[in-house]
Amino acid sequence: MVSKEPRKIRSMFGAIAHRYDLLNHALSMGIDLYWRWRVARRLRPFLNQHAPALDLCTGTADLALQLSRYSRVVGCDFTHAMLVLGRQKVRGKSLDSRIRFVEGDALSLPFADGIFSAVTIAFGLRNLASYRQGLQEMHRVLRPGGVLAVLEFSQPRIPVLKQAYVLYCKHVVTRLGAWISGDAVAYSYLPASVNEFLTAQALSRLIGECGFGALKSVPLTGGIAVLQLGRKEGKPAQASPQC
Ligand SMILES: C[S@@+](CC[C@H](N)C(=O)[O-])C[C@H]1O[C@@H](n2cnc3c(N)ncnc32)[C@H](O)[C@@H]1O
């Protein structure tokens, strides 16, 4: 079992922050940017000017930047070095008025109840010490009718793609990641944590148990990643996550 001890996770991301974007885009051949774009497009009908969206585990703010096309965004993460890089990117694009950053823990969010129109978390849930506690916090800070979007790696279902993916993670991700970041531990943690993570079905069930309805699971790139959508009960949002 890989350790999800928060101090270890924070120091791991702190150590690789300077190479995080480069490795993300190189190892995914740029597909990660498309995945985040898809999340923002899906959420577009639910984002509005009245309440901001929360991008949890925002890291270097790539998803926050996509969301900011449609809404004000709060990016929250507990690794200072990741937020510093995120802030630089946001400033470089003159989007300071659209995206604000808060340093905080996903397991105990520093926000009042019911204030966000949407909560997103991309490649972050897998790193939490308790998925349930994290999802319950996301539910708490969402407005009634607000939408949750969880983007995570998954296991492709097509056998050939699955085998190729396993070999790619084992031989390319671990080696290239270690070489470029200088951190072998972090880039062996990545495939190990993906292997241990919940199946798409189990994650969808857990999201439902944490109070979300209208669940939808959208496989991306043959199921290498999955976008899970859910809605907090209450006054309905104007569109359903299916559209
Ligand atoms: C794999 S990165 C994902 C970053 C970004 N969402 C993206 O799409 O590239 C995971 C991020 O989750 C953050 N993180 C992990 N556990 C956290 C926690 N308990 N509270 C807040 N942030 C956390 C890490 O600091 C890291 O920036």
Side-chain angles (χ1 to χ4, degrees):
M1 277 268 288
V2 289
S3 166
K4 304 282 174 69
E5 211 268 299
R7 254 184 317 146
K8 279 193 190 154
I9 297 288
R10 193 189 294 122
S11 98
M12 181 180 78
F13 281 106
I16 61 167
H18 65 300
R19 288 282 180 260
Y20 179 79
D21 280 350
L22 172 69
L23 273 163
N24 249 1
H25 308 331
L27 291 172
S28 75
M29 296 170 234
I31 298 170
D32 64 306
L33 295 168
Y34 163 71
W35 290 337
R36 294 190 196 84
W37 177 83
R38 284 281 304 269
V39 176
R41 291 288 298 194
R42 277 263 169 183
L43 292 193
R44 185 180 181 174
F46 307 96
L47 301 175
N48 57 62
Q49 300 311 316
H50 305 301
L54 171 66
D55 183 37
L56 199 47
C57 297
T58 193
T60 57
D62 275 353
L63 179 54
L65 283 165
Q66 290 287 342
L67 296 168
S68 73
R69 290 156 59 211
Y70 312 118
S71 165
R72 284 175 296 125
V73 184
V74 175
C76 178
D77 200 290
F78 73 0
T79 303
H80 185 72
M82 297 288 270
L83 289 181
V84 168
L85 292 165
R87 250 188 215 114
Q88 277 170 12
K89 272 156 70 172
V90 165
R91 248 180 228 144
K93 293 179 192 293
S94 304
L95 285 169
D96 308 59
S97 61
R98 300 285 286 172
I99 306 176
R100 174 168 88 78
F101 290 97
V102 172
E103 205 161 317
D105 188 343
L107 298 181
S108 174
L109 288 172
F111 306 112
D113 297 358
I115 58 168
F116 295 107
S117 59
V119 174
T120 59
I121 179 163
F123 312 112
L125 188 67
R126 179 171 36 90
N127 302 294
L128 303 187
S130 165
Y131 309 145
R132 185 179 293 275
Q133 192 178 332
L135 287 165
Q136 285 168 341
E137 275 294 86
M138 295 175 218
H139 188 270
R140 180 182 68 74
V141 299
L142 260 181
R143 286 174 140 199
V147 176
L148 169 75
V150 179
L151 177 64
E152 258 304 345
F153 288 112
S154 190
Q155 303 291 342
R157 267 174 276 161
I158 306 161
V160 179
L161 182 61
K162 186 171 181 161
Q163 277 163 2
Y165 177 66
V166 168
L167 289 174
Y168 182 75
C169 288
K170 190 168 168 192
H171 297 294
V172 182
V173 172
T174 47
R175 286 183 197 161
L176 199 64
W179 182 54
I180 297 182
S181 72
D183 192 325
V185 175
Y187 283 88
S188 58
Y189 165 85
L190 171 62
S193 64
V194 173
N195 269 340
E196 277 185 12
F197 191 56
L198 303 175
T199 61
Q201 292 83 347
L203 175 56
S204 178
R205 216 176 307 123
L206 180 61
I207 292 172
E209 285 169 17
C210 292
F212 294 94
L215 304 175
K216 178 144 179 85
S217 200
V218 185
L220 299 170
T221 319
I224 291 177
V226 174
L227 169 61
Q228 305 267 5
L229 297 159
R231 208 175 75 198
K232 180 169 172 172
E233 334 57 22
K235 185 173 163 277
Q238 298 200 323
S240 82
Q242 280 88 339
C243 36

